[in-house]
Amino acid sequence: MLKISHFSVPRISVTLTGLVIILSVYFGTVMNYPVLKKIFMLSADVSDSGFPWTAPVLLICAFLILFSAIAWPYLLKPVMCLLLLSSAAALYAEVNFNVLFDTTMMESVFETNASEISFYMNPASLLYVVGFGGVPCLLLCMVKIVPHRSWMVAIYSRLAVLMVATAGIGLIAATHYKDYASVGRNNHYLNKMIIPAQVYSGFRYLEKKYLSRPLAYQFQGEDARVLPARNGKPTLMVVVLGETARAMNFAYNGYPRNTNPYTEKLGLISFRDVSSCGTYTALSVPCMFSSLTRTQYNEARAKTQDNVLDVMQHAGVDALWIDNDGGDKGVAKHLPYHTVNHDLKNEACHGTTCFDEAMLHDAQTFIDGEVRNKVLVLHTIGSHGPTYWQRYPEEQAPFQPACNRSDIENCTDQQIRNVYDNTLVYTDFILAKVIEQLKHVDSTYNVMLTYISDHGESLGEGGFYLHGAPYAIAPREQTQVPWLLWLPDNYARQKGLDAHCLRQKAQQASLTHDAFFHSLLGLYGVQTDIKDPALDVTQSCQSHA
């Protein structure tokens, strides 16, 4: 008879208190290496050379208290495994991209769809998750928690750990409070670097999104009406919503490379100094389409009141949102909505994503429909990283060598710049194609196009990559966005706009996403009490000819 021997998993015997100490040391040192490194760098201006060495002790003491609260049989292991894996992913993002997991960043994480998550999967990220999360989790599963000699000993040992941790925090506070206050006063982001702060921020986001009391819906601009064009034709406006495009890399804004070769002879107007509402899509998109300014912005209120597209519909304008970038973030909830089918088998789609050209067929169908006042929004995937090379066809990549990998931290600065600039060239190609579609119907409509990005992107400047930094510390690469207008002379004339005035304003004015809601109404010729003339870029460029 065949005898099957059972494989025996090696076991590591540790008391519950001992396991808490081990985990606290691991999180207080290894998992929080980035914040410790930052504190050592910032402590150069602190007179006490011993100050930075108290940081790991302070973190270990804090984790001793935190982990002691969940140190119960059948609870500690599963909770810590989840914490280890999520913290390892956060560590990768923090080390390589300077990402801080505050509530706003967790909103971006939760709003990211499955295909976008795949953009961040690469050997380096998997190595971090496996090495810093998976292996410790496996070791944790091999641990056999042995009981103390008696329940009294268990209580005393737990109390002893808590007392030592509390005393340690108290001692550090008594001796180095001024040092921490000095460093922390000018570096408020340090607490957001602590791992696993992402768990707390995640709970904050979920509480805000699902447990907060919903606000009553507010209708806006129900008095809206479209002022008739002088030639009596209906209006067709296309709004191209960019993704992750930064203004400084546009040739229109003085960039030495020609990243706008397809539209350079089409007479586009470029507003050179425009700041975004946020540094990530889930915040910027609903903010820019709402009447709320950046300082006023409240997600709950923005989602429970009419946005600029709703106001245009009140005025009788037909609207359509076509999406190629993971959703409208609630902006198109009252609009007809098409999303690009990523499973299409054609040259524009490759499994999980499609090039932005895939939107043009549905756009043409809308344009060719019933002749009425219309507005079309094309939400592009644009320059979404870190898989920049997947945003354009291989044959449309003028800048080489390009960083054709998602772990961009392993590419040279020049390779990253090349691949990113290629995405902008392809975006320019898309704009030219849409303008061509509009030109074909200019005998039927008064046509115009506007392009604006939701936020910018860091390409390694100052150690930052990608986007999503807290706005207070976000570099200008993440907040300065392009805003272009294709405003044919005939359109300007029929709408009573002075194109020369707008071109001058584009060179001189400092603008923000706050102006987008009101300017879109002004450009279209929608009259409503909700429009703020002070935020409408067309207000001072009205032509009386």
Side-chain angles (χ1 to χ4, degrees), residues 108-109 111-121 241-246 279-282 285 323-327 329 342 350 353-356 379-392 403 405-406 408 416 419-424 426-427 451 453-459 465-468:
S108 182
V109 170
E111 295 283 345
T112 298
N113 61 30
S115 65
E116 289 179 309
I117 291 174
S118 68
F119 303 159
Y120 301 92
M121 301 295 289
L241 177 57
E243 168 64 51
T244 322
R246 65 188 209 178
T279 60
Y280 59 97
T281 304
V285 170
D323 203 281
N324 191 37
D325 189 36
K329 310 309 176 188
H342 296 158
H350 39 90
T353 59
C354 295
F355 301 135
D356 285 324
H379 188 193
T380 67
I381 199 168
S383 303
H384 200 307
T387 52
Y388 302 112
W389 85 96
Q390 294 180 356
R391 306 294 160 250
Y392 53 83
C403 178
R405 53 194 297 176
S406 59
I408 58 175
I416 296 172
V419 72
Y420 181 79
D421 285 348
N422 287 338
T423 67
L424 299 183
Y426 183 68
T427 292
Y451 167 85
S453 186
D454 55 357
H455 54 76
E457 183 87 329
S458 287
L459 302 177
Y465 290 89
L466 306 178
H467 54 267

Side-chain angles (χ1 to χ4, degrees), residues 253-498:
N253 298 329
Y255 190 55
R257 280 180 162 181
N258 189 5
T259 49
N260 302 111
Y262 295 98
T263 65
E264 62 182 342
K265 296 181 180 179
L266 298 180
L268 271 66
I269 298 171
S270 175
F271 292 94
R272 291 194 165 206
D273 185 5
V274 183
S275 298
S276 65
C277 190
T279 60
Y280 59 97
T281 304
L283 187 154
S284 270
V285 170
C287 179
M288 65 193 290
F289 280 88
S290 81
S291 59
L292 301 171
T293 63
R294 188 181 73 81
T295 56
Q296 296 171 333
Y297 182 73
N298 176 278
E299 179 190 5
R301 172 45 65 204
K303 291 185 176 182
T304 53
Q305 70 178 30
D306 287 337
N307 58 52
V308 65
L309 300 175
D310 298 321
V311 173
M312 294 175 83
Q313 287 195 129
H314 293 327
V317 178
D318 282 358
L320 175 66
W321 183 291
I322 301 177
D323 203 281
N324 191 37
D325 189 36
D328 61 292
K329 310 309 176 188
V331 175
K333 57 184 176 294
H334 299 142
L335 274 63
Y337 178 89
H338 292 176
T339 185
V340 171
N341 183 0
H342 296 158
D343 295 327
L344 291 175
K345 303 299 182 183
N346 59 42
E347 65 279 1
C349 297
H350 39 90
T352 57
T353 59
C354 295
F355 301 135
D356 285 324
E357 193 171 1
M359 294 188 291
L360 299 184
H361 178 268
D362 284 348
Q364 188 65 58
T365 301
F366 180 71
I367 290 171
D368 291 340
E370 184 179 356
V371 178
R372 294 169 51 89
N373 285 324
K374 295 178 182 179
V375 59
L376 170 64
V377 181
L378 301 177
H379 188 193
T380 67
I381 199 168
S383 303
H384 200 307
T387 52
Y388 302 112
W389 85 96
Q390 294 180 356
R391 306 294 160 250
Y392 53 83
E394 187 177 348
E395 63 273 13
Q396 289 181 258
F399 304 116
Q400 296 293 334
C403 178
N404 294 345
R405 53 194 297 176
S406 59
D407 52 341
I408 58 175
E409 69 278 8
N410 293 315
C411 292
T412 66
D413 290 345
Q414 190 59 54
Q415 289 171 331
I416 296 172
R417 185 64 58 88
N418 287 343
V419 72
Y420 181 79
D421 285 348
N422 287 338
T423 67
L424 299 183
V425 171
Y426 183 68
T427 292
D428 197 63
F429 168 76
I430 296 298
L431 294 180
K433 296 287 284 186
V434 177
I435 290 172
E436 184 180 338
Q437 289 179 314
L438 293 176
K439 284 183 174 180
H440 285 156
V441 294
D442 64 357
S443 62
T444 306
Y445 291 96
N446 296 309
V447 294
M448 74 149 293
L449 174 145
T450 184
Y451 167 85
I452 190 168
S453 186
D454 55 357
H455 54 76
E457 183 87 329
S458 287
L459 302 177
E461 299 89 356
F464 283 91
Y465 290 89
L466 306 178
H467 54 267
Y471 206 92
I473 64 167
R476 63 188 298 268
E477 288 82 6
Q478 295 188 30
T479 61
Q480 296 297 112
V481 295
W483 187 1
L484 308 177
L485 293 180
W486 178 66
L487 196 71
D489 290 340
N490 184 60
Y491 185 94
R493 188 163 51 251
Q494 302 306 323
K495 293 291 183 177
L497 298 174
D498 185 339

